[in-house]
């Protein structure tokens, strides 16, 4: 039985994963795609953005483990083999990294840091009144592992925080709205909107003109989920018409972002190259190896997702 690492065009990263997995268990037979050994022996795949249809080649495949927190890159394949478990990464260091990124971005927005960077280059001395935590409500769309960590940290820092999730959950420690009915009230409260929901057919394109129009004046949007959540032209229109004051985008429909894309040079958009919460193989390899052993011994896997729900 073998484990196949599938990371098209990222051989160095795939080799790093293999090293970390082997260090934890030298007995695991590991192959790096496109070399797969004997296809019938592949029972687990560790994957990031595989080619659609790839997994049909492995008739004994039991588990596809995502290398990241998201599984949309697996579930979007219309030719996934049936009855194969799909797992995701749940890791405190990734949550911490996401917390740092969102906190940094919210503080940059409050302190208008990017404006000061531009003014420094022009040698302009222009003090501005900062936005302050007691006057700003951050709305977190998606209160999963990452979203809840972000929400609690911002709350600790004195920001008002509201959350939005698809369905009602018991005892959230932040004020939470849910479902389509709760979305309007959630948006009306959110001076800064942070998108941290999984990408599903329901949430694709959710960051659109109709949604932006429901935010308070001067609102700021942070997208750290998936590029496909955002209707790009609607964002540009909302920024250019003053409906939004700015946006920070870490994810894009096409990555790397095309050099000619208008986001690069927009004065009120900050672009980062999908780094808000990177998976570190050294930290995550233990849960992959643990699931490999669980699978071999028929025990329930950690961090499985529901393919019908999409997360
Ligand atoms: C992830 C990501 O899903 O980095 O972990 O986007």
């Amino acid at each position: 039985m073998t484990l196949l690492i599938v990371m098209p065009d990222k051989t160095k990263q795939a080799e790093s994963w293999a090293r970390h997995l082997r260090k934890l268990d030298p007995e695991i037979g590991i192959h790096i795609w496109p070399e797969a050994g004997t296809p019938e022996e592949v029972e687990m795949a560790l994957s990031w953005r595989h080619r659609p249809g790839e997994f049909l080649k492995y008739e004994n495949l039991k588990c596809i483990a995502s290398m990241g927190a998201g599984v949309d890159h697996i579930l979007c394949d219309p030719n996934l083999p049936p009855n194969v478990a799909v797992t995701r990464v749940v890791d405190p260091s990734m949550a911490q990294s996401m917390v740092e990124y969102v906190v940094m971005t919210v503080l940059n927005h409050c302190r208008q840091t990017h404006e000061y960077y531009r003014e420094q280059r022009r040698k302009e001395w222009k003090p501005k009144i900062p936005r302050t935590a007691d006057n700003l409500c951050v709305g977190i769309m998606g209160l999963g592992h990452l979203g809840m960590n972000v929400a609690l940290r911002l709350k600790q820092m004195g920001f008002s925080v509201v959350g939005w999730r698809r369905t009602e959950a018991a005892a959230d420690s932040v004020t939470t709205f849910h479902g389509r009915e709760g979305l309007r009230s959630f948006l009306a409260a959110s001076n800064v909107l942070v998108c941290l929901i999984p990408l599903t057919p329901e949430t694709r394109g959710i960051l659109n003109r109709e949604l932006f129009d429901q935010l308070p004046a001067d609102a700021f949007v942070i997208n750290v989920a998936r590029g496909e959540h955002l209707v790009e032209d609607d964002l540009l229109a909302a920024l250019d018409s003053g409906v939004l004051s700015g946006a920070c985008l870490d994810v894009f429909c096409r990555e790397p972002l095309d050099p000619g894309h208008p986001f690069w040079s927009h004065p009120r958009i900050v672009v980062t190259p999908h780094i808000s919460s990177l998976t570190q193989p050294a930290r995550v390899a233990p849960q992959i190896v643990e699931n490999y052993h669980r699978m071999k011994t028929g025990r329930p896997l950690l961090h499985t997702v529901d393919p019908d729900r999409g997360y």
Side-chain angles (χ1 to χ4, degrees):
M1 137 158 183
T2 58
L3 183 152
L4 179 64
I5 301 175
V6 185
M7 270 192 113
D9 310 323
K10 295 204 165 146
T11 316
K12 277 219 171 76
Q13 289 175 45
E15 281 164 359
S16 159
W17 274 102
R19 269 196 309 280
H20 287 291
L21 296 171
R22 284 195 187 107
K23 214 185 286 170
L24 293 169
D25 185 349
E27 305 281 294
I28 303 180
I30 297 178
H31 294 280
I32 297 178
W33 185 92
E35 197 283 305
T38 310
E40 300 76 52
E41 286 179 8
V42 175
E43 288 194 283
M44 183 167 178
L46 174 60
S47 178
W48 185 254
R49 298 191 171 161
H50 69 282
R51 306 250 156 92
E54 173 65 24
F55 294 126
L56 288 176
K57 295 181 195 159
Y58 312 106
E59 59 190 55
N60 292 314
L61 188 66
K62 294 191 175 60
C63 170
I64 305 172
S66 169
M67 265 177 212
V71 289
D72 49 291
H73 58 102
I74 297 172
L75 299 180
C76 68
D77 182 348
N79 290 314
L80 272 189
N83 306 321
V84 170
V86 176
T87 64
R88 61 192 286 258
V89 168
V90 177
D91 174 47
S93 71
M94 285 172 78
Q96 174 62 20
S97 178
M98 185 58 84
V99 166
E100 288 170 6
Y101 183 98
V102 175
V103 166
M104 168 190 78
T105 305
V106 170
L107 294 179
N108 280 337
H109 170 63
C110 289
R111 291 304 188 121
Q112 302 167 68
T113 316
H114 293 282
E115 195 90 353
Y116 288 122
Y117 292 158
R118 277 194 288 274
E119 288 161 6
Q120 180 180 352
R121 269 178 241 126
R122 299 194 295 262
K123 302 186 180 156
E124 287 174 357
W125 184 272
K126 284 189 173 170
K128 285 169 257 299
I129 309 285
R131 301 174 178 98
T132 52
D134 56 344
N135 270 320
L136 202 103
C137 177
V138 184
I140 313 286
M141 289 184 97
L143 289 176
H145 179 62
L146 300 179
M148 191 50 94
N149 272 277
V150 170
L152 294 178
R153 186 67 63 85
L154 287 164
K155 209 173 144 184
Q156 262 171 17
M157 293 174 68
F159 289 95
S160 303
V161 177
V162 290
W164 180 79
R165 53 165 88 241
R166 200 176 65 106
T167 51
E168 197 163 5
D172 275 327
S173 33
V174 296
T175 307
T176 302
F177 300 88
H178 56 90
R180 284 275 154 194
E181 331 70 74
L183 191 57
R184 182 170 283 278
S185 313
F186 164 78
L187 294 171
S190 301
N191 304 108
V192 174
L193 180 73
V194 182
C195 180
L196 261 166
I197 44 177
L199 180 67
T200 66
E202 247 177 30
T203 64
R204 184 177 292 269
I206 194 167
L207 301 178
N208 58 30
R209 180 168 143 191
E210 196 192 329
L211 177 144
F212 299 144
D213 283 343
Q214 295 174 60
L215 293 167
D218 197 40
F220 187 89
V221 170
I222 303 174
N223 189 14
V224 276
R226 288 290 181 256
E228 292 87 343
H229 284 123
L230 176 68
V231 179
E232 297 188 342
D233 286 344
D234 287 4
L235 176 73
L236 290 169
L239 289 168
D240 294 344
S241 64
V243 166
L244 294 176
S245 62
C248 175
L249 309 174
D250 185 50
V251 286
F252 305 90
C253 290
R254 291 221 3 228
E255 296 178 2
L257 188 61
D258 191 274
H261 199 289
F263 286 171
W264 282 115
S265 50
H266 196 289
R268 285 198 296 280
I269 296 181
V270 173
V271 167
T272 55
H274 202 143
I275 44 72
S276 53
S277 176
L278 292 173
T279 310
Q280 296 178 47
R283 305 194 74 120
V284 170
Q287 61 186 263
I288 305 296
V289 170
E290 170 68 20
N291 262 349
Y292 176 89
H293 290 297
R294 283 172 176 251
M295 184 193 59
K296 265 179 74 169
T297 50
R299 286 174 294 145
L301 300 180
L302 303 173
H303 314 314
T304 50
V305 301
D306 173 352
D308 293 329
R309 212 173 53 163
Y311 56 96

